[in-house]
Amino acid sequence: MKKALLVAASILIATSPMAHAAELKVLAGGSTTGWLNELSSQFERANGHKVTIHFDSTPNLIKQATSTPFDLGVVPVDVFRNAGAKARFAPGPTIDIARVGYGVIVRAGASKPDIGSPDAFKKALVDAKSITYLPASAAGAYVASVFEQLGVADAMKAKTVAQTSPGDIAKAVAKGDAELGLFLINVLMAEGVELAGPFPGELQNDLVFTAAVAADTSEADAAKSFIAFLQTPDAAAVIKAKGMNPG
């Protein structure tokens, strides 16, 4: 009840005719593009603030956080594990906005491998002629750690078609450039591909996207209002429709 009142109060302040119209600079994980673009547009229409979002991978978000001015972040929790990046955010707890697990895709119409257990998943990876994912990201680091757990890391290096942006993973599989695509499930939802399934339970993990206000922002009130807006039931519905779980 208390959280609901705080969210409502923040939105009321942001939508007040007397509220200052801010220009918010947001750092965000590349996998949030679909729903965060939609919700930022809704937020802009509701209160007159302007939202500019820089989407990127975790390593690049850390570089951005430590070298450029911004007002808030909606970023993978891994960003806060970097001391330099964490120091650029206001002290205190972050607010989890969305989370999503990992899955595997194949080209539409192709045979789907059995990935229902770690052993079956390992066999599918070994049997695949090629795989694709985005190594230079928090999600990519987790995929690589799964290869290590399964004892196939070296074998995967030889057959990996590395991508530089999340959206290119599904495109590569759809075109036949790679047999299997591995990444966050919401990113893999695209035309021309089909989900073979999620990582098996023992190897599954949620990547959490969390929000916080920048330590030196001059638009703290507007930034807090945007974070509050991302916690509303309407925002949660958009996040869920785009393949992630709210909170």
Side-chain angles (χ1 to χ4, degrees):
M1 183 65 178
K2 183 178 180 181
K3 179 180 178 181
L5 289 173
L6 288 173
V7 170
S10 296
I11 294 173
L12 181 60
I13 292 170
T15 56
S16 167
M18 297 300 292
H20 164 69
E23 294 189 8
L24 293 176
K25 295 178 181 178
V26 182
L27 298 182
S31 301
T32 68
T33 303
W35 56 265
L36 198 51
N37 273 335
E38 183 172 336
L39 292 176
S40 64
S41 294
Q42 291 182 14
F43 180 75
E44 287 179 332
R45 290 194 296 269
N47 55 49
H49 294 323
K50 179 176 175 55
V51 180
T52 301
I53 308 175
H54 177 84
F55 294 101
D56 221 323
S57 63
T58 294
N60 287 334
L61 288 171
I62 291 171
K63 292 177 183 177
Q64 288 287 322
T66 54
S67 63
T68 62
F70 66 99
D71 298 299
L72 73 141
V74 184
V75 297
V77 292
D78 302 71
V79 170
F80 290 90
R81 296 185 179 124
N82 179 277
K86 183 177 180 181
R88 293 296 306 280
F89 290 89
T94 60
I95 299 172
D96 293 344
I97 301 298
R99 63 190 65 231
V100 64
Y102 295 79
V104 180
I105 52 170
V106 297
R107 191 176 188 178
S111 177
K112 297 177 182 177
D114 176 12
I115 58 171
S117 69
D119 286 343
F121 190 19
K122 179 177 180 177
K123 183 178 186 305
L125 291 170
V126 171
D127 290 347
K129 293 182 176 63
S130 57
I131 67 165
T132 186
Y133 70 110
L134 174 57
S137 64
Y142 181 74
V143 171
S145 76
V146 170
F147 295 159
E148 291 283 355
Q149 291 180 62
L150 293 175
V152 297
D154 289 339
M156 292 305 102
K157 288 178 183 177
K159 62 176 69 178
T160 293
V161 179
Q163 302 300 331
T164 57
S165 69
D168 289 337
I169 298 170
K171 290 178 183 177
V173 175
K175 291 189 298 182
D177 293 340
E179 187 176 339
L180 302 179
L182 301 88
F183 211 65
L184 301 171
I185 289 176
N186 71 305
V187 174
L188 300 178
M189 296 167 58
E191 292 184 7
V193 299
E194 295 176 359
L195 187 68
F199 282 18
E202 300 93 321
L203 299 173
Q204 187 58 272
N205 185 52
D206 275 350
L207 178 59
V208 178
F209 293 85
T210 193
V213 176
D216 58 357
T217 178
S218 60
E219 302 290 0
D221 288 342
K224 291 175 183 177
S225 293
F226 185 52
I227 293 174
F229 178 79
L230 297 179
Q231 300 173 76
T232 61
D234 287 346
V238 172
I239 291 169
K240 194 166 186 178
K242 297 295 184 179
M244 283 193 180
N245 294 314

